[in-house]
Amino acid sequence: MGRMFWKIFFGFWLTLLLVASTVGSLVWLHNRDRIAELEMLADSPRADMDVNHIARLLRFGGEAAVMDMVQHRQMRNGRMIPILIVNDDGKDLLQRPVPFPMLRQARDALKNPQTPGVQEVLTPGGKHYVLFMPRHDHPVMRNPWFRNQFPVIPLLIPFTVSLIFSAGLAWYITRPLRYLSDATKGFADGKLDVRVMPKIGSRKDEIADLGQDFDHMATQIQQLINSQKRLLNDVSHELRSPLARLHIAAEMSRQQPERAADMLARVEKESRRLDELVGELLTLSRLESGALQHELDYFDLNGLINTIADDARFETETQNKKVMYQSQSELLIKGHVELLRRAIENIVRNALFHTPQQSQVDIRLKHNHNQVEIMICDQGDGVPEEKLAQLFQPFVRIKESNQNANLPGYGLGLAIARRAVELHAGSIEAYNQQSGGLCIVIRLPIQHA
């Protein structure tokens, strides 16, 4: 699964093992002596009867009789007798480990002849043995070979649990990272529609945030590349039309010399259109690259809007349209005066084109301590809600299907306005008025001198 998986896995696993082993060892060492002092000998009538049986066998038949009985019992049911037979050296006759605290407790019990389940036997050979039975719930009854040794088997539980937990945690952390790695490789190979959040799911953590950031980045880059492709196609289309008309005018001037003057006028008109288009494209390109961001200075925004409104009134004197703006006091802001003039003027011209005769375009300026808001509203038909977001894209003309012949420009004015506003750390948005018409709002931060 990768190097990070194993680093996380072994790091957590070894840490958990170290903590569990240390704590378990300390607890075991602390309680070992106390456990040894607990009652470890069986004193029930059944235990006393079994001990008496082995004691008689040992007393009259010796060690050989006991060994024969043990062998016969193991052949019959495979079980070892539960009674320890310990000599003076502390060794069990059947070579089983004898816990010292248990032997000490048995010898202490011999001091009271009435204690059941414990006996001292003298064999025919003259050897002394102490016979006793551990309690049935004592660990030595389950596995006597592990007594007085470190508790290895209980440690297998934290070992196994920590192994599973560490593997699960490492897998949980590295799985989305693998998705991110695969998505990054796919994105680098040109698969711009690759996303990781559908695979990561609904988890809520920093890795999910990273996945969301990747998807957002991928979406933005995809939109940017698609926008660049669309821009290239649109530029090619917009250039092709005037160039085709120039070619036709040149051919007609050669074929019909008497119309040379008209064709020269057409050539001049198309040349101006090409010059205007190239100029707007250069402006948009400079805005996109941020080449104009250092040309900033303080200027009076109210005076700038007032000048734009006066120019618009002059141009629409014969169209029965009005431009309404109530001049205010001086408002100094820091910015690129020519870019903002062009941005606001483009919006005002666009509003004047779409507002019908006998109506008006309203310009309003509001500001507070930190922000200024410019609102430009027409009284036209508005824009379909689903297309509002497209207004500020290059070469977008919403009504070009039925008014293509009348639409001015190349659909770059609002795109230039958007980039000019963004260059000033502002925002621009469009919405339809309930009473009819489109409003475009520019918000700019005020940088105090």
Side-chain angles (χ1 to χ4, degrees):
M1 292 185 182
R3 290 169 293 179
M4 180 170 286
F5 173 86
W6 294 113
K7 290 179 180 179
I8 295 174
F9 169 69
F10 283 115
F12 276 101
W13 185 36
L14 293 177
T15 301
L16 290 173
L17 281 181
L18 179 62
V19 172
S21 300
T22 302
V23 173
S25 299
L26 291 175
V27 172
W28 179 76
L29 291 173
H30 178 72
N31 294 325
R32 182 180 56 179
D33 294 337
R34 294 185 179 183
I35 294 174
E37 297 297 331
L38 297 176
E39 289 292 334
M40 293 178 285
L41 302 180
D43 56 0
S44 64
R46 175 61 184 271
D48 189 51
M49 183 177 64
D50 291 341
V51 169
N52 286 332
H53 173 70
I54 300 299
R56 286 195 299 271
L57 191 62
L58 183 63
R59 184 178 293 112
F60 298 106
E63 294 91 338
V66 174
M67 296 300 293
D68 289 342
M69 185 272 294
V70 170
Q71 185 176 7
H72 176 73
R73 182 170 180 174
Q74 286 184 329
M75 291 179 60
R76 186 177 61 183
N77 54 26
R79 294 183 181 181
M80 179 71 70
I81 61 174
I83 299 170
L84 294 177
I85 308 170
V86 184
N87 60 19
D88 293 337
D89 296 330
K91 305 294 184 180
D92 178 57
L93 179 63
L94 303 178
Q95 304 300 318
R96 294 171 295 183
V98 180
F100 176 75
M102 185 179 294
L103 176 60
R104 184 179 59 187
Q105 193 174 85
R107 286 174 175 169
D108 291 341
L110 290 175
K111 297 176 182 179
N112 183 7
Q114 304 299 324
T115 303
V118 180
Q119 288 194 31
E120 185 177 14
V121 176
L122 179 65
T123 65
K127 293 183 178 181
H128 288 86
Y129 286 93
V130 177
L131 282 67
F132 56 91
M133 179 187 293
R135 293 175 62 92
H136 72 280
D137 55 350
H138 195 277
V140 74
M141 294 295 290
R142 297 192 295 268
N143 199 339
W145 287 271
F146 286 98
R147 301 324 307 156
N148 281 339
Q149 300 180 23
F150 194 78
V152 177
I153 289 182
L155 288 180
L156 290 177
I157 297 177
F159 179 88
T160 304
V161 172
S162 63
L163 178 69
I164 297 174
F165 174 78
S166 300
L169 182 61
W171 174 82
Y172 179 77
I173 294 176
T174 58
R175 183 183 58 146
L177 296 180
R178 175 53 59 89
Y179 293 152
L180 278 169
S181 176
D182 294 340
T184 303
K185 293 177 182 178
F187 197 80
D189 292 337
K191 300 177 182 178
L192 301 182
D193 58 344
V194 64
R195 300 293 184 269
V196 296
M197 284 309 296
K199 293 183 178 179
I200 291 180
S202 59
R203 60 186 289 165
K204 304 292 183 181
D205 53 21
E206 287 76 6
I207 296 180
D209 294 340
L210 180 61
Q212 291 177 350
D213 292 340
F214 174 86
D215 285 357
H216 178 70
M217 177 202 70
T219 301
Q220 293 296 105
I221 293 178
Q222 184 180 23
Q223 291 177 353
L224 178 61
I225 293 178
N226 291 338
S227 176
Q228 294 297 328
K229 291 180 180 179
R230 185 171 61 251
L231 178 62
L232 182 60
N233 292 334
D234 292 339
V235 169
S236 301
H237 174 73
E238 295 292 343
L239 288 175
R240 188 179 295 113
S241 298
L243 287 175
R245 290 192 289 269
L246 283 173
H247 180 71
I248 292 173
E251 288 294 328
M252 291 185 65
S253 65
R254 282 195 295 265
Q255 296 176 8
Q256 303 177 17
E258 68 278 6
R259 299 185 59 187
D262 294 337
M263 295 302 103
L264 284 176
R266 167 60 70 173
V267 169
E268 183 180 2
K269 180 179 180 179
E270 299 300 334
S271 298
R272 285 197 302 270
R273 287 183 174 178
L274 284 174
D275 181 67
E276 180 183 352
L277 174 59
V278 172
E280 290 188 344
L281 286 173
L282 287 175
T283 300
L284 182 62
S285 176
R286 294 179 69 190
L287 287 171
E288 294 286 352
S289 63
L292 302 175
Q293 60 183 350
H294 300 296
E295 303 176 15
L296 305 178
D297 200 0
Y298 285 96
F299 66 93
D300 179 16
L301 180 61
N302 176 68
L304 175 65
I305 298 177
N306 200 34
T307 300
I308 295 173
D310 288 340
D311 292 342
R313 293 189 190 103
F314 176 78
E315 295 175 10
T316 57
E317 282 184 353
T318 60
Q319 300 179 15
N320 294 322
K321 300 179 182 180
K322 296 181 180 180
V323 177
M324 305 300 296
Y325 174 67
Q326 185 175 358
S327 181
Q328 303 181 20
S329 59
E330 183 182 72
L331 178 61
L332 290 178
I333 68 169
K334 186 177 182 180
H336 193 293
V337 60
E338 183 57 28
L339 281 181
L340 287 178
R341 181 199 66 79
R342 186 163 187 176
I344 299 172
E345 190 174 61
N346 284 343
I347 297 173
V348 171
R349 288 180 181 274
N350 188 71
L352 283 171
F353 177 80
H354 290 287
T355 199
Q357 293 188 0
Q358 307 298 328
S359 64
Q360 65 187 36
V361 171
D362 294 312
I363 306 175
R364 292 188 288 272
L365 176 64
K366 297 189 299 183
H367 66 90
N368 54 36
H369 185 69
N370 297 317
Q371 180 178 268
V372 60
E373 181 178 282
I374 307 166
M375 182 180 298
I376 303 168
C377 301
D378 61 47
Q379 296 180 0
D381 297 330
V383 174
E385 293 292 333
E386 66 274 8
K387 296 185 178 181
L388 283 175
Q390 304 176 20
L391 280 177
F392 303 103
Q393 298 298 325
F395 296 104
V396 171
R397 287 176 287 188
I398 300 299
K399 296 183 179 181
E400 60 182 349
S401 60
N402 55 9
Q403 293 183 357
N404 190 44
N406 299 323
L407 282 176
Y410 299 93
L412 292 173
L414 293 182
I416 292 175
R418 177 180 65 86
R419 292 301 297 133
V421 171
E422 291 177 350
L423 181 66
H424 290 80
S427 64
I428 185 171
E429 64 174 334
Y431 66 91
N432 291 310
Q433 300 184 93
Q434 293 183 353
S435 58
L438 180 73
C439 281
I440 293 181
V441 181
I442 298 174
R443 296 182 178 90
L444 298 171
I446 296 179
Q447 301 183 25
H448 299 281

